[in-house]
């Protein structure tokens, strides 16, 4: 019997998902459903690395769950669940913390960015990549579809898995591979194309959220920062603004960037932006319609309860195996093999 590829990924419930999350990660989540056994998590424990209002966090968890389904994740095919419903994440994170070096964690660029100028940065922010490694290794994931910003964290996950395997045996952890798209892997802020589009950026004009109305989408695209030479050409170094618009256009439409460049030859940024509004709205509108149907439904609660149960079965098997490898625990039965 051939074993199916196990896919794992997650999204933080820190705000409405934006088109960077969608084009970099969620479109991959949907595509991979036909290739592997997919486990998709809403990583609420990551979201509390910076302070969050409890009610707002609860709402955002349901928002992300509904958006997962609205973009096309099928809970019959994929496991959809909330991280804090499965205790193995925190348990494995501690074991991996003990395998990590402070030096390698200090080099993580996301930690450096988010803690810059903060004398008392929360320790959770520092440990974030270790919790992410635990999320992935807990499910024996082979493939992790993510945006390019997570590349360094995937490398750390691989380093930790290999480090432990070298000491305790190759059958301790599955060493995962990151999966990054060509277009959409790194969508930049619309008002500052040198910074990544982010949920937590202050300016609403920096991003397009999947729940934005047409007027907001139009305003953010039409006002997006471009250069003054007016030529529609992909050149990330010298023309980051128009290059970002071309990446978004390509990822939404499925047309290649050279094809789009040719189609707009001799035209100004205004016509590219105007058409991009249309392309983006066409893709986002059906997602919003499905989201509205699901967000307050009982079915959504059932999806998360069922997902937690199914994820819990996999996580428990991994924890029994890993704890045994480390000599932890008081003699619970140990399954052989990789727990799947
Ligand atoms: N700008 C982006 N372009 C492409 N992919 C992106 N991702 C995030 N931003 C972009 C990918 O989306 C998935 C979920 O991300 P996340 O919410 O778990 O964490 P994040 O990377 O920290 O995303 P944000 O939006 O920037 O959130 P905040 O502002 O809360 O930190 C990941 O696969 C990520 O790569």
């Amino acid at each position: 019997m051939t074993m199916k590829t196990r896919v794992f990924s997650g999204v933080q419930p820190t705000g409405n998902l934006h088109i960077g999350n969608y084009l970099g990660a969620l479109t991959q989540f949907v595509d991979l459903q036909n290739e592997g056994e997919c486990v998709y998590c809403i990583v609420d424990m990551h979201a509390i690395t910076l302070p969050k209002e409890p009610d707002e966090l609860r709402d955002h968890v349901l928002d992300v769950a509904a958006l997962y389904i609205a973009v096309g994740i099928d809970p019959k095919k994929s496991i959809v669940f909330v991280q804090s419903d499965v205790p193995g994440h925190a348990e494995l994170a501690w074991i991996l913390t003990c395998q990590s070096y402070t030096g390698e964690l200090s080099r993580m660029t996301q930690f450096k960015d988010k803690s810059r100028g903060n004398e008392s940065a929360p320790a959770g922010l520092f440990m974030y990549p270790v919790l992410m490694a635990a999320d992935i290794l807990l499910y024996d994931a082979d493939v992790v579809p993510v945006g390019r910003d997570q590349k360094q964290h995937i490398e750390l996950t691989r380093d930790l898995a290999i480090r432990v395997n070298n000491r305790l045996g190759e059958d301790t952890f599955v060493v995962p591979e990151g999966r990054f798209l060509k277009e959409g892997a790194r969508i930049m802020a619309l008002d500052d194309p040198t910074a990544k589009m982010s949920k937590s950026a202050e300016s609403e004009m920096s991003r397009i959220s999947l729940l934005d109305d047409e007027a907001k989408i139009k305003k953010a695209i039409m006002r997006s920062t471009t250069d003054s030479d007016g030529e529609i050409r992909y050149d990330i170094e010298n023309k980051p603004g128009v290059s970002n618009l071309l990446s978004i256009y390509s990822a939404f439409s499925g047309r290649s960037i050279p094809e789009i460049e040719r189609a707009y030859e001799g035209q100004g940024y205004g016509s590219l932006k105007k058409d991009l509004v249309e392309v983006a709205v066409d893709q986002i509108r059906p997602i919003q319609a499905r989201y509205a149907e699901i967000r307050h439904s009982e079915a959504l609660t059932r999806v998360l309860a069922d997902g937690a149960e199914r994820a819990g079965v996999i996580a428990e098997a991994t924890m029994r195996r890993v704890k045994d490898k480390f000599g932890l625990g008081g003699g619970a039965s140990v399954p052989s093999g990789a727990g799947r």
Side-chain angles (χ1 to χ4, degrees):
M1 194 181 81
T2 51
M3 211 153 47
K4 257 189 155 183
T5 301
R6 173 86 46 77
V7 176
F8 175 90
S9 198
V11 171
Q12 292 187 75
T14 40
N16 279 334
L17 303 193
H18 52 71
I19 58 169
N21 302 130
Y22 176 65
L23 298 173
L26 294 178
T27 53
Q28 298 200 69
F29 293 9
V30 176
D31 291 346
L32 284 165
Q33 291 186 111
N34 299 320
E35 288 174 35
E37 183 188 359
C38 299
V39 183
Y40 295 132
C41 187
I42 298 147
V43 290
D44 57 345
M45 295 202 302
H46 283 274
I48 61 164
T49 46
L50 293 172
K52 289 282 167 311
E53 285 304 318
D55 285 339
E56 205 171 283
L57 179 59
R58 264 187 282 274
D59 271 350
H60 282 318
V61 164
L62 295 175
D63 293 345
V64 174
L67 277 172
Y68 270 0
I69 294 164
V71 299
I73 293 172
D74 177 352
K76 290 198 189 76
K77 286 188 191 162
S78 301
I79 298 177
V80 174
F81 75 106
V82 180
Q83 184 186 30
S84 61
D85 282 339
V86 177
H89 292 258
E91 205 177 2
L92 185 56
W94 174 250
I95 294 175
L96 293 176
T97 296
C98 301
Q99 317 309 312
S100 312
Y101 307 128
T102 51
E104 64 191 347
L105 298 181
S106 314
R107 287 193 292 276
M108 295 291 125
T109 51
Q110 195 176 83
F111 169 70
K112 287 198 268 188
D113 287 349
K114 291 200 172 180
S115 63
R116 188 161 291 135
N118 185 354
E119 279 289 300
S120 46
L125 206 54
F126 187 64
M127 299 313 301
Y128 179 109
V130 179
L131 179 58
M132 178 167 158
D135 299 337
I136 296 166
L137 300 181
L138 189 59
Y139 296 95
D140 290 330
D142 304 290
V143 175
V144 188
V146 278
R148 186 80 57 195
D149 60 315
Q150 295 298 330
K151 195 164 192 282
Q152 200 185 25
H153 292 163
I154 302 289
E155 281 308 314
L156 178 80
T157 304
R158 289 173 54 81
D159 288 348
L160 289 173
I162 292 167
R163 190 175 300 160
V164 172
N165 285 358
N166 284 343
R167 206 182 118 219
L168 300 175
E170 295 296 316
D171 56 345
T172 311
F173 289 125
V174 172
V175 181
E177 299 276 352
R179 186 179 189 270
F180 312 95
L181 291 177
K182 191 159 166 283
E183 300 308 337
R186 189 166 164 80
I187 301 296
M188 309 307 281
L190 292 170
D191 59 351
D192 174 10
T194 60
K196 149 185 123 103
M197 186 177 285
S198 164
K199 292 187 220 97
S200 49
E202 241 166 65
S203 163
E204 276 294 321
M205 286 301 133
S206 67
R207 61 184 161 259
I208 294 172
S209 294
L210 291 178
L211 299 179
D212 280 345
D213 63 23
E214 199 170 328
K216 158 70 202 310
I217 296 172
K218 188 170 178 188
K219 200 164 158 189
I221 292 178
M222 295 311 288
R223 282 193 185 179
S224 63
T225 303
T226 39
D227 52 75
S228 55
D229 81 15
E231 189 191 355
I232 297 176
R233 179 169 54 83
Y234 188 87
D235 177 350
I236 203 84
E237 288 290 310
N238 302 305
K239 297 166 70 67
V242 74
S243 301
N244 190 36
L245 296 181
L246 285 167
S247 293
I248 297 170
Y249 198 130
S250 170
F252 267 132
S253 66
R255 292 167 71 186
S256 73
I257 289 181
E259 188 189 336
I260 301 167
E261 283 173 334
R262 277 195 300 278
Y264 285 91
E265 213 175 316
Q267 298 188 49
Y269 295 150
S271 53
L272 177 76
K273 288 179 174 179
K274 201 167 129 280
D275 290 353
L276 179 56
V277 171
E278 221 171 280
V279 169
V281 168
D282 278 356
Q283 296 274 330
I284 291 173
R285 205 184 280 129
I287 296 174
Q288 294 184 347
R290 285 196 293 275
Y291 172 88
E293 281 168 22
I294 306 158
R295 172 60 179 85
H296 297 285
S297 68
E298 266 182 40
L300 189 63
T301 323
R302 282 199 299 275
V303 164
L304 295 178
D306 175 61
E309 204 177 312
R310 288 157 69 198
V313 171
I314 304 173
E316 270 178 39
T318 308
M319 286 316 298
R320 278 199 298 275
R321 184 183 81 232
V322 172
K323 283 168 78 175
D324 178 63
K325 286 279 187 181
F326 277 90
L328 296 166
S333 67
V334 179
S336 60
R340 54 174 164 162

